[in-house]
Amino acid sequence: MKIAIAGATGFVGSRLVAQLQAQGHQVIILTRSPQQASNRFGQAQIVGYNPLKSGEWQQSISGCDAVINLAGEPIAEKRWTPAQKRSILDSRQLGTQKIVEAIDLATIKPQLLINASAIGYYGTSETSKFDETSPAGTDFLAEVCTAWETAAQSVTANGTRVVILRLGIVLGENGGALGKMLAPFSAFVGGPIGSGNQWFSWIHRDDVVKLIIAALNDTKMQGVYNATAPNPITMTEFSQTLGTVMNRPSWLPVPNFVLEAMLGEGAIVVLQGQQVVPTRTLAQGFDFQYSTIEPALTAIVG
């Protein structure tokens, strides 16, 4: 296939590009940093773009079999000032609108749009369980995800198949959420974040890539799928398992106020969670390589 990817240099995107190239697909990378992408992905076609603006880059979409949009401003790396909130929303809603606009303009239209979303769609809860049929929450991240998905779904007017993947917390080596947690565990000062009772709905990065490739190949896949492992756990369970796998203690919790001091309102991303199950993903026949946390963490850091 000929596949255009936005967000290819990210934690998931970089692994996805490697897999697609290994399978012989032609990859077009839409990036704000063409030189960096060229150094990283020598065999791919590199197209420089501003994700928030229309431009010549949109012509590269025409003739593609599929478009994969993984782009978005990081959620939990900066305080949520009004400007940062606007950046988080625009990078997803407006960025997706420009991808859809490119598909609308294409002379030869892609048959498939795979668009990222997040389990933040459901809001947070320590008691509820969410699947793909659950309603949207009411907090900021739920509003962002709703706008994000609405922008992606608008392409269906062209007959393009749309698959939306609500990503959980993606775990893998050399980055992501786990990369930020390894240092304190390595220094024997690891432990749960916050109360430890919050849900931790996770997925191994290899399973995210596998699910994206499944959506590329299975024309029956359409609509929303939770990209989370079938067995969510609490933050305390996650920390204990990570400590066991690393042969390190996991008794020193990170208090709420520490994260709140660093991230402000954005601390909600790690201090509150949601129990999400991939009901529709499993019904589609998807076979998770890592369905429980200990084998996943052992594969990454064991």
Side-chain angles (χ1 to χ4, degrees), residues 93-110:
Q93 182 183 33
L94 184 55
T96 301
Q97 287 174 353
K98 293 302 177 184
I99 293 286
V100 168
E101 182 180 283
I103 294 173
D104 287 340
L105 293 170
T107 304
I108 304 174
K109 300 188 187 304

Side-chain angles (χ1 to χ4, degrees), residues 80 85-86 88-89 138-145 265:
W80 284 0
K85 279 187 168 183
R86 172 52 58 183
I88 289 170
L89 176 60
T138 57
D139 60 18
F140 170 66
L141 289 182
E143 292 173 356
V144 168
C145 291
E265 186 185 354

Side-chain angles (χ1 to χ4, degrees), residues 38-39 43 47 56 94 119-120 179 181 199 202 223 229 239 243 246 249:
S38 180
N39 294 338
Q43 300 175 15
V47 176
E56 291 184 5
L94 184 55
I119 59 173
M181 302 177 77
W199 285 98
W202 61 278
S239 298
M246 295 183 67

Side-chain angles (χ1 to χ4, degrees), residues 1-289:
M1 298 182 190
K2 185 178 181 182
I3 303 165
I5 304 177
T9 58
F11 186 57
V12 172
S14 56
R15 178 63 63 90
L16 175 64
V17 170
Q19 289 279 340
L20 292 175
Q21 289 180 328
Q23 293 178 9
H25 299 294
Q26 180 183 351
V27 177
I28 299 173
I29 293 176
L30 306 176
T31 177
R32 290 173 294 180
S33 305
Q35 188 58 56
Q36 178 186 350
S38 180
N39 294 338
R40 191 168 187 176
F41 307 113
Q43 300 175 15
Q45 178 183 342
I46 309 298
V47 176
Y49 88 133
N50 182 333
L52 306 185
K53 293 185 178 180
S54 305
E56 291 184 5
W57 66 267
Q58 292 174 307
Q59 298 173 14
S60 64
I61 297 294
S62 183
C64 288
D65 297 290
V67 181
I68 301 172
N69 181 24
L70 305 174
E73 176 77 11
I75 293 289
E77 293 186 2
K78 298 178 182 178
R79 292 182 68 86
W80 284 0
T81 62
Q84 182 63 10
K85 279 187 168 183
R86 172 52 58 183
S87 180
I88 289 170
L89 176 60
D90 284 350
S91 67
R92 288 162 172 78
Q93 182 183 33
L94 184 55
T96 301
Q97 287 174 353
K98 293 302 177 184
I99 293 286
V100 168
E101 182 180 283
I103 294 173
D104 287 340
L105 293 170
T107 304
I108 304 174
K109 300 188 187 304
Q111 296 300 300
L112 170 65
L113 170 63
I114 300 175
N115 213 84
S117 183
I119 59 173
Y121 174 90
Y122 302 110
T124 62
S125 175
E126 288 189 4
T127 56
S128 299
K129 181 182 288 188
F130 304 101
D131 70 5
E132 292 89 345
T133 64
S134 301
T138 57
D139 60 18
F140 170 66
L141 289 182
E143 292 173 356
V144 168
C145 291
T146 299
W148 198 2
E149 294 184 15
T150 300
Q153 292 283 17
S154 67
V155 81
T156 55
N158 302 310
T160 299
R161 179 167 61 99
V162 178
V163 173
I164 293 174
L165 302 180
R166 291 179 183 154
L167 296 170
I169 300 167
V170 181
L171 304 178
E173 64 274 15
N174 303 320
L178 185 58
K180 295 179 173 64
M181 302 177 77
L182 290 180
F185 275 88
S186 296
F188 292 85
V189 291
I193 296 172
S195 70
N197 296 323
Q198 69 271 38
W199 285 98
F200 190 88
S201 295
W202 61 278
I203 186 169
H204 194 289
R205 180 171 58 172
D206 287 352
D207 276 326
V208 178
V209 171
K210 183 179 177 183
L211 184 56
I212 292 171
I213 293 174
L216 283 171
N217 293 320
D218 187 349
T219 58
K220 296 189 297 295
M221 287 186 68
Q222 187 162 343
V224 173
Y225 297 87
N226 286 335
T228 57
N231 296 288
I233 55 177
T234 65
M235 176 61 75
T236 293
E237 292 173 309
F238 172 78
S239 298
Q240 290 172 343
T241 306
L242 181 58
T244 298
V245 169
M246 295 183 67
N247 194 27
R248 295 289 192 274
S250 58
W251 55 271
L252 190 63
V254 180
N256 289 17
F257 73 84
V258 173
L259 286 170
E260 288 168 349
M262 290 189 298
L263 298 174
E265 186 185 354
I268 188 176
V269 175
V270 286
L271 294 178
Q272 300 181 36
Q274 53 279 106
Q275 184 183 14
V276 178
V277 290
T279 302
R280 192 161 184 258
T281 309
L282 291 170
Q284 190 67 35
F286 184 75
D287 182 22
F288 285 85
Q289 184 175 352

